[in-house]
Amino acid sequence: MKIITTLPGRTLFIFALCAALFAPAAAAQTHFDHDSKADLAVFRPAEGSWYLFSSESQTATTTEWGLASDKLAPADYDGDGLTDLAVWRPATGVWYILYSRDGKFDAIHWGAKLYIPNGYVADEPVPADYDGDGRADIAVWRPVSGVWYVLESSRDFDPKDADYFQWGKLGDIPVVADYDGDRRADRAVFRSTENRWYVYQSSNQAWKTDVFGQAGWDRLVAADYTGDERADFAVYRRGTWLIKDSATNEIYTFRFGTATDTAVPADYNGDGLTDLGVFRNGVWYVMETLTGNVSVFNFGTEGDVPATALNVKPSIVPVP
């Protein structure tokens, strides 16, 4: 694949090499084993089944968990370093979490599908570690009000101690990530009417905004591509990746994928940097950020939902 950069004679890989020497491992993404590499995983709506492939043992497993109408919400809720299978059911507002630690499960009511004059609008599940305890919190963002409702894991998911925070409005897209490097998820939205990112930084309670991307054309793929432990603003535009370095604000452009591919960025080789990846009818194409090496994996089939695509968001959504 050809690598295009906005800086002649310099590629993102060179910068990433320097950053990776000092950066600790990235936070867990889709880890179903203990080797620090993101594992291949898909949800098959027709069956309500998850198909998981362990990069450590090179074995595949299948687990039935969820319905085709559920919103997928896998994350590490029990703090064992492994991703737990989880779904949120809009019809009932219930989270179903299957813990990897002991095989037990929880059914927790949090969130709703609300009626407004022009129809129904469901909450958006946004699980992440907002309190910095190493466990994902149960959370939803409510489009009709822009309010974030968070059940913190450090408070045992107790609704009486829930955290409420208003940020965003109808038409915004939630783009949760750790943008300030304090190991806590920041509440953030992308406003398509402005092509602007709005981030509330948990480290200093200060706002950060930036215009980046083209609503309707792009998929939002914010992640740490440079190894400085801070998520970079990034978009996937019909086969082209545009990444804005969080440290320098320089923009790097890469051609990798096609217009119809599903973007699946994740750290597939365990070096602490997010790699570029696309999913195409059951085939995964991954380009390592550090080396530029390309790998191809066959896992899944047409119609499957790759788990590493769940943090990828549309840049525009219909407003009732």
Side-chain angles (χ1 to χ4, degrees):
M1 295 290 179
K2 184 179 180 181
I3 304 168
I4 307 170
T5 176
T6 56
L7 297 178
R10 182 185 178 194
T11 69
L12 179 60
F13 303 134
I14 295 175
F15 176 84
L17 175 60
C18 299
L21 295 176
F22 304 99
Q29 300 173 72
T30 53
H31 292 317
F32 300 98
D33 54 36
H34 294 282
D35 67 355
S36 78
K37 300 177 183 178
D39 297 305
L40 305 183
V42 297
F43 178 76
R44 191 160 295 166
E47 303 174 2
S49 296
W50 298 78
Y51 290 80
L52 316 174
F53 185 80
S54 167
S55 55
E56 183 177 44
S57 65
Q58 296 291 294
T59 57
T61 57
T62 305
T63 303
E64 292 186 14
W65 195 256
L67 304 175
S69 58
D70 291 343
K71 293 194 175 186
L72 310 181
D76 181 11
Y77 297 93
D78 56 16
D80 65 350
L82 303 179
T83 300
D84 306 309
L85 300 183
V87 298
W88 181 69
R89 192 155 294 165
T92 60
V94 175
W95 294 66
Y96 296 93
I97 303 172
L98 180 63
Y99 296 113
S100 58
R101 179 180 55 202
D102 53 18
K104 296 181 180 179
F105 74 92
D106 260 341
I108 300 173
H109 188 277
W110 194 246
K113 185 177 180 181
L114 303 175
Y115 174 76
I116 63 174
N118 295 323
Y120 286 91
V121 177
D123 289 346
E124 185 69 23
V126 285
D129 184 6
Y130 297 93
D131 54 12
D133 69 346
R135 300 165 59 197
D137 305 310
I138 294 173
V140 296
W141 181 73
R142 184 156 294 168
V144 296
S145 63
V147 175
W148 302 70
Y149 297 88
V150 180
L151 293 182
E152 296 181 343
S153 54
S154 57
R155 300 178 182 178
D156 296 323
F157 304 130
D158 187 349
K160 294 189 295 294
D161 286 329
D163 180 62
Y164 304 91
F165 187 83
Q166 201 285 325
W167 183 240
K169 63 181 183 179
L170 188 64
D172 289 351
I173 297 97
V175 282
V176 179
D178 181 7
Y179 294 93
D180 54 13
D182 67 348
R183 297 183 180 275
R184 288 182 292 172
D186 300 310
R187 297 164 176 84
V189 297
F190 177 82
R191 187 157 296 163
S192 57
T193 55
E194 304 171 6
N195 290 324
R196 183 179 293 275
W197 304 65
Y198 288 90
V199 179
Y200 184 73
Q201 299 175 113
S202 56
S203 61
N204 57 10
Q205 289 75 57
W207 303 105
K208 176 181 180 180
T209 70
D210 201 350
V211 175
F212 187 70
Q214 296 181 10
W217 289 82
D218 296 343
R219 303 288 290 181
L220 311 174
V221 291
D224 180 13
Y225 297 90
T226 59
D228 65 354
E229 297 189 87
R230 294 183 293 172
D232 306 297
F233 296 132
V235 298
Y236 179 74
R237 185 176 299 162
R238 301 188 177 189
T240 299
W241 299 72
L242 295 95
I243 300 168
K244 191 167 189 178
D245 188 334
S246 59
T248 66
N249 287 325
E250 296 174 79
I251 298 174
Y252 302 93
T253 306
F254 301 90
R255 180 69 185 175
F256 188 72
T258 70
T260 57
D261 288 344
T262 299
V264 287
D267 180 10
Y268 293 97
N269 61 359
D271 65 355
L273 306 176
T274 299
D275 303 307
L276 310 186
V278 295
F279 178 81
R280 185 183 307 158
N281 297 329
V283 181
W284 304 66
Y285 300 86
V286 175
M287 183 168 73
E288 295 183 0
T289 304
L290 189 59
T291 65
N293 293 335
V294 176
S295 300
V296 180
F297 307 95
N298 287 282
F299 190 74
T301 188
E302 183 178 1
D304 287 351
V305 180
T308 45
L310 297 178
N311 287 330
V312 176
K313 302 293 184 178
S315 56
I316 193 169
V317 293
V319 177

